[in-house]
């Protein structure tokens, strides 16, 4: 029953992967808010509005604020906040105005910035809906997989021959292989980050100190993002006013701009571990990384759907 077991393992792996993503995306925010309430991990700060962009017009428009404020080390950083303006007639969100913001460190490694100084809330209705989605997913998988196991193990020799002659297990192996290859490739380029890297970037952005680094050398990685080359820079900087430290990071260079023209870089480093540093631009501009992560997950979902549909047809069309 080699091919039968291999196929069922692939199916189980994919179903558990999407169950994990469903539960993580549904409950991570609620759990982190409960954690914040227990630990009191809210820091309030004043932020200056740099620009305001209207995302959706209406009686309560959705606006995106680019704000400037001090991180935990006193270094000024930029972040974007999206809020529903319930009282647009008051013109509360205008450039050069100051607004109160809160930093919820319990949301690490996600963005901890929110508009109100009050304790952030979560909706019980949202939790109930997420619970229902999880229950429906688990129930559907249990019913369908129960029926499939009943069919397969009632005639193991027959289904072993069916799975061996079908391309279902091949599709599964190709799907997992391509997903791992894309994940490692995008991670190598630097546009897809792991959980460990996300935590490190979070620490740099909210606890790091900014300084100017001098470029010592650069290397063309051969990768392109939006037809612009990705260049790896090696740089040196002075940490804590005396220590000389080396670092490296990748940066997207405009097509009409030569890496030789880049002599200095604005970077951030951890005061308690200066060996950890990154270019500030890479920490503050993560929209493309988020878009690429979502695109990657969409591709993985399409591959998963194709494989599960092929498996379903193989079992029920016998």
């Amino acid at each position: 029953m080699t091919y039968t077991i291999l196929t069922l393992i692939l199916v189980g792996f994919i179903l558990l992967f999407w169950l994990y993503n469903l539960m993580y995306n549904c409950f991570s925010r609620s759990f982190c808010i409960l954690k914040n309430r227990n630990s009191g991990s809210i820091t309030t700060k004043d932020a200056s509005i740099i620009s305001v962009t209207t995302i959706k017009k209406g009686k309560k428009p959705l606006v995106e604020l680019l704000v400037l404020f001090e991180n935990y080390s006193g270094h000024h950083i930029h972040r974007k906040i999206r809020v529903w303006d319930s009282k647009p007639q008051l013109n509360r969100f205008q450039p050069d105005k100051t607004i109160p913001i809160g930093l919820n460190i319990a949301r690490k490694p996600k963005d901890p910035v929110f508009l109100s100084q009050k304790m952030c809330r979560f909706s019980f209705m949202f939790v109930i809906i997420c619970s229902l989605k999880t229950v429906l997913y688990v129930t559907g998988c249990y019913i369908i997989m129960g029926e499939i196991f009943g069919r397969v193990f009632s005639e193991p020799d027959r289904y072993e021959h069916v799975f061996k002659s079908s391309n279902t297990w091949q599709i599964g192996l190709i799907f997992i292989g391509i997903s791992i290859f894309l994940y490692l490739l995008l991670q190598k380029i630097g546009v897809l980050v792991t959980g460990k890297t996300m935590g490190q970037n979070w620490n740099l952005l909210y606890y790091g100190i900014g300084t100017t680094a001098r470029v010592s050398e650069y290397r063309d990685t051969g990768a392109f993002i939006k037809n612009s080359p990705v260049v790896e820079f090696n740089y040196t900087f002075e940490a804590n006013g005396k220590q000389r430290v080396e670092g490296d990071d990748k940066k997207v260079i405009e097509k009409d701009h030569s890496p030789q023209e880049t002599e200095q870089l604005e970077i951030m480093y951890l005061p308690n571990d200066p060996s950890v540093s990154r270019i500030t631009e890479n920490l503050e501009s993560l929209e493309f990384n988020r878009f690429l992560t979502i695109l990657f997950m969409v591709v993985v979902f399409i591959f998963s759907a194709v494989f599960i549909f092929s498996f379903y047809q193989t079992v029920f069309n016998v």
Side-chain angles (χ1 to χ4, degrees):
M1 296 182 64
T2 303
Y3 293 96
T4 301
I5 294 175
L6 175 61
T7 305
L8 292 177
I9 289 175
L10 293 173
V11 172
F13 174 79
I14 292 174
L15 293 178
L16 288 175
F17 172 80
W18 287 111
L19 175 62
Y20 166 79
N21 278 275
L22 175 63
M23 296 184 67
Y24 178 82
N25 292 320
C26 277
F27 299 111
S28 61
R29 171 174 169 78
S30 300
F31 287 158
C32 91
I33 292 176
L34 289 175
K35 178 182 177 182
N36 161 68
R37 288 181 175 178
N38 293 331
S39 63
S41 52
I42 285 287
T43 302
T44 58
K45 292 182 176 290
D46 289 330
S48 299
I49 300 177
I50 305 300
S51 65
V52 181
T53 304
T54 302
I55 305 298
K56 185 178 180 181
K57 297 181 179 180
K59 293 183 179 180
K60 296 181 179 180
L62 175 64
V63 296
E64 183 177 74
L65 311 176
L66 177 62
V67 296
L68 177 70
F69 61 93
E70 291 184 348
N71 67 3
Y72 292 106
S73 296
H75 181 73
H76 285 88
I77 59 175
H78 296 87
R79 300 307 295 152
K80 289 183 178 180
I81 310 175
R82 289 191 177 186
V83 296
W84 293 95
D85 189 0
S86 58
K87 299 178 180 179
Q89 69 276 8
L90 299 180
N91 295 321
R92 294 176 297 171
F93 307 121
Q94 298 292 329
D96 299 328
K97 281 191 173 183
T98 301
I99 57 173
I101 63 168
L103 299 180
N104 179 10
I105 60 176
R107 284 186 56 81
K108 179 183 177 181
K110 293 187 176 182
D111 196 342
V113 184
F114 63 97
L115 181 62
S116 175
Q117 288 184 333
K118 298 178 182 179
M119 185 72 69
C120 50
R121 300 168 296 175
F122 69 92
S123 170
F124 281 104
M125 182 59 66
F126 177 77
V127 174
I128 292 173
I129 292 174
C130 287
S131 300
L132 288 175
K133 289 196 295 184
T134 304
V135 170
L136 288 175
Y137 180 87
V138 173
T139 303
C141 291
Y142 176 79
I143 294 174
I144 295 176
M145 292 304 297
E147 176 66 21
I148 289 174
F149 273 103
R151 289 179 176 233
V152 170
F153 288 103
S154 64
E155 299 179 274
D157 294 334
R158 181 187 180 190
Y159 277 96
E160 172 68 10
H161 175 73
V162 170
F163 287 128
K164 182 178 180 180
S165 58
S166 71
N167 57 1
T168 301
W169 63 273
Q170 297 174 359
I171 294 175
L173 290 177
I174 292 173
F175 152 66
I176 293 178
I178 292 177
S179 299
I180 293 175
F181 172 76
L182 288 176
Y183 179 81
L184 294 176
L185 176 63
L186 296 175
Q187 184 180 332
K188 182 70 175 178
I189 295 174
V191 295
L192 197 65
V193 295
T194 62
K196 180 180 178 180
T197 304
M198 287 177 62
Q200 189 179 82
N201 291 346
W202 195 97
N203 288 334
L204 282 168
L205 188 59
Y206 293 102
Y207 288 104
I209 297 176
T211 188
T212 301
R214 181 170 294 277
V215 175
S216 54
E217 61 179 338
Y218 66 88
R219 180 180 66 86
D220 190 350
T221 63
F224 288 83
I225 296 179
K226 296 181 179 180
N227 295 325
S228 297
V230 179
V231 179
E232 182 176 6
F233 289 96
N234 289 5
Y235 50 81
T236 59
F237 61 95
E238 192 175 88
N240 301 321
K242 52 183 179 179
Q243 185 181 0
R244 203 69 181 172
V245 183
E246 295 182 352
D248 63 86
D249 197 5
K250 299 181 180 71
K251 181 181 179 181
V252 180
I253 302 296
E254 297 296 331
K255 290 184 293 184
D256 56 350
H257 185 78
S258 173
Q260 296 178 341
E261 300 176 13
T262 305
E263 297 181 352
Q264 295 182 331
L265 294 168
E266 295 298 322
I267 63 124
M268 296 186 71
Y269 68 91
L270 293 179
N272 58 343
D273 186 6
S275 62
V276 179
S277 65
R278 286 208 70 185
I279 298 174
T280 305
E281 179 183 338
N282 293 339
L283 297 172
E284 293 186 336
S285 303
L286 298 175
E287 287 79 7
F288 181 75
N289 297 66
R290 294 193 186 100
F291 167 76
L292 200 60
T293 301
I294 294 173
L295 182 61
F296 175 76
M297 294 303 294
V298 170
V299 172
V300 172
F301 177 79
I302 293 174
F303 282 160
S304 301
V306 171
F307 172 69
I308 296 298
F309 181 73
S310 175
F311 172 72
Y312 181 87
Q313 279 193 319
T314 302
V315 174
F316 288 95
N317 289 345
V318 174

